[in-house]
Amino acid sequence: MKPAEHNVERCGGASATPPSPRERPRVARRPGGRWLGAAMFLPAILYVVAIIGVPFLMAFLYAVGDVRVGSVGYHFVGLENFRSVLHSPAFRRSLFNSVIFTVGSQVLVIVGAFTLALALRDKFRGRGVVRFLVMLPWVAPVSLGAIGWKWILDSLYSVINWLLVAMHLFRQFDAPQWLGEPKLAMMSVILVHTWHVLPFSTVILLAGLTAIPRDIPEAAAVDGAGFWRTLVHITIPMMRPILNVALLFGIIFTFTDMTVVYILTRGGPYDSTQVVPSLAFFTGILGGDLAEGAAISLFLVPILVIVAYLMLRVAHRAEVT
Amino acid sequence: MAVVETRGLTKVFKEGQLGAVNNVDLVTREGEFLVFLGPSGSGKTTLLRMIAGLEQPTAGEILIGGNVVNHLSPRERRIAMVFQSYALYPHLSVYNNIAFPLKAQKIKKELHREKVEWASSLLGIGGLLDRKPRELSGGERQRVALARAIVREPTVFLLDEPLSNLDAKLRASAREDLEQFHKRIGTTTIYVTHDQVEAMAMGDRIVVLHQGFVRQIGTPKEVYDDPADTFVATFLGSPPMNLLESDDVVVGFRPEHFLPADRLREGSRIPLRFRVTYLEFLGAERILYGSLAGSRFEEKEVLSRLPAAVSEAFQVASVYDFGVASESLRFFDRQSEKRTQPKAIAWQ
Amino acid sequence: MLGHWSVIVAFSVVLAFPFYWMLITTFKQTSDLYDITNNPFIFNARPTLEHLRLLFGETLYLRWVGNTALAGALVVFITLLLALPAAYALARLTGNWGQRLGIAIFLTYLVPPTLLFIPLSRVISLLGLQDTIWSVVVVYPSFTIPFSTWLLMGFFKSIPKELEDAAMVDGLTRFGAFVKLVIPISVSGILTVVIFAFTLVTQEFVYALTFIAPEAHQMVGVGVPTFLVRGDVYYWGSLMAACLITSLPIALVYNLFLDRFIAGFTVGAVK
């Protein structure tokens, strides 16, 4: 195979006679070229545009209008919905919660996933089983995993509380209300979400770790570097692009998700765990205020744009190198 | 059976750049084995792929059996092609690989078995029909690829470096197989290679390509003995022809013609002093590396290739009386690098 | 060495614990579950199949599983129908901008349900698909197609071009070579996409919650946490049984194909 053959002859050697094609050279097509290509990918593009692009535009239209479930007609109200959303304490609270939720869980995910990936890098007996076990939170449906946690964190029958009581750290009647107290509830949803996303980040980082050529850490070891020095000066710098990928996916999966919050707390108690997506759901779907709900979910767009841009940079750099 | 002809065939991959194939005119002869020979990047594969219909020419015409086929897709050209990797379909058995063109051409199902058996027995692979390609050796794969090519009785065979994936030992026998195969079926065959030994051994004629241009078309003897330009002169032959520049001409002679003076007839001998700097003993022959001494070509590097029959001992750093017969000299224009008439030049 | 093992054990225990807990809960008698003086790690009373009997006999659990399987199969079908040709076109026919278009398609995978569910719920009710599994069948391909196209593009690019050239010389059109050669060769890639799309359908929660209300038409991921709770009463035994029984097969299959999904997710940042 010599794919280079097609475009090697760029420089005319001194001995080459100048090209004298009978027609002006045009860039030629491969047989069965462009039209077939377009016909083959257009259906997919059209489908995705219809289901993603159209509702996306509708979301903007709703957000600048006054649509409610069952209402007829549409009145343009400009930025009114955005203004009222920005002034509503519930929204401010949820935006703040979303940031805490995302930052908190992503810090835990990256640290935890990196540690776990390092531990799983080298082959050992039973690695397949361990991998299956640690992957469970990601591969099982998240709503079902979360309901499992709801049982574990139950106000009365929590197994964690039973342990704490058994260890005499708490007494039965003042055991922590994991989902009932604002601060604890936030901590709980963060931890449960971390539990859900961590395996995904782990396998991504694992793919990055195994891609580091074996001889580089070995050379570092020969040069006298210990575990920590190799980690800080070799492994982490080489993992930068893949760490970025894991982090970007993690941010998307966290900032835009409402499943864990919805199942565990429904945003409560007192909106203390309400995040932007769940607020949009309660406002737009359950509350029927489509306009305000759409305006709330559009606050996810800036985050998406930034992440998409960064993702493109990663992909572009991967293409160049 | 048919001949393939190209007229002004040109392929430009990126506008504004020199073409991969430039203005190629050539005509095959009935039943001949034509070899496209050139270094990598010479455009030989692109030329072949245009004939197959896998690349659209930028300009020019392709004729098969006298008809212009530019607008025809590969499947309509009645050609068969054997690829460098053999391109055997990995998920199909040998039988189904060979039957694939028959199915694709919607040939009646009843005829399949008969035709597959004919093709496979022609290539001696009747016992392999149930295997998968990955279970075959390199030589067997080549045979399956050939059987798949021949089963639809094409008018032209196109072979794209089919031996380059084989190891050296297998290559010789596979080459032998190919020659026998061609003799038996007698179909016009175009064969692409960068290996001059293959080209010389198998080709009825050789098309030497360089940077997308045809440099010479001729029998192996013609392109070796009478190269059309300095590129052909140095590309063919190993080690390559010695070239000396003199005023407006370049004079060349093959290393095997550069011999100790006493091996040459006195009358036509041009005497040259040769300072040996390095010796290679290759069994059947010796290669002497060195430079000319004491003439106007002082310090010019030249090679000598001595058959085993020449048994004298040579010492590194010593100077010997060598020479070359004047009829072994080839002359090229220094500007155009093309072959010119013999000229008298001053040697001393 | 000891550190290594303690990390592995700690992570395995924490990450897998809820599933262990589901298992224990499934077989415990209700009286055992709701006695806070009992050690919850052991069976204080005889194990029971009562929760399973309730789940299979008196809830619509099996119906939800069936709905999900049917929706999954339909989504897989739509996804393959559209993503296979699209991926082939982007891998082979569209030249330089194929790669860029591929990345653009991939990025649409990042668009979350929570951004679109409000207008989509309107579209779905306009189409009359509200409260049927057809609502999710229509909507889910919007995220299975992008990622599947991206995955398949990688598979198709790894097929040697010479094979398709050979097929075209042997008498097929470009499209014929795609149907009769490329697709049969890519069976393992296609299987990966089938599993991926199917598991995504089983895992999705937000759209299913938004579009489908009646108990009988639920997808399993919504039906279990919604309808195994009556008012304020959680049927924990049956709930945990349903979670475990649904999760394990999905997890097992997904795990088999995990490495291939991850290759798609790394966006070329790992070579």
Side-chain angles (χ1 to χ4, degrees), chain A residues 1-2 5-6 9 17 26, chain B residues 13 20 41 58 84 161 213:
Chain A
M1 280 281 251
K2 290 195 302 295
E5 174 144 330
H6 300 313
E9 295 111 76
T17 43
R26 274 173 297 109
Chain B
F13 278 104
T58 311
Q84 191 172 16
E161 307 218 22
F213 293 95

Side-chain angles (χ1 to χ4, degrees), chain A residues 155-173:
Chain A
S155 57
L156 214 51
Y157 307 109
S158 166
V159 56
I160 297 175
N161 285 359
W162 186 88
L163 275 176
L164 293 176
V165 171
M167 290 190 285
H168 301 287
L169 294 171
F170 285 91
R171 271 170 300 172
Q172 186 64 53
F173 56 87

Side-chain angles (χ1 to χ4, degrees), chain A residues 1-2 5-6 8-13 15-31, chain B residues 10-13 15 17-18 20 22-23 25 40-41 43-46 53-54 56 58 84 161 211 213 215 337:
Chain A
M1 280 281 251
K2 290 195 302 295
E5 174 144 330
H6 300 313
V8 170
E9 295 111 76
R10 276 179 196 151
C11 41
S15 57
T17 43
S20 54
R22 285 169 196 180
E23 294 168 24
R24 210 175 84 80
R26 274 173 297 109
V27 176
R29 297 160 293 122
R30 285 180 68 79
Chain B
T10 299
K11 176 71 180 181
V12 180
F13 278 104
E15 208 151 347
Q17 283 174 353
L18 189 65
N22 300 295
N23 209 16
D25 295 297
S40 67
K44 55 192 189 300
T45 294
T46 306
L54 294 168
Q56 284 295 323
T58 311
Q84 191 172 16
E161 307 218 22
Q211 292 182 333
F213 293 95
R215 292 312 183 89
E337 304 186 348

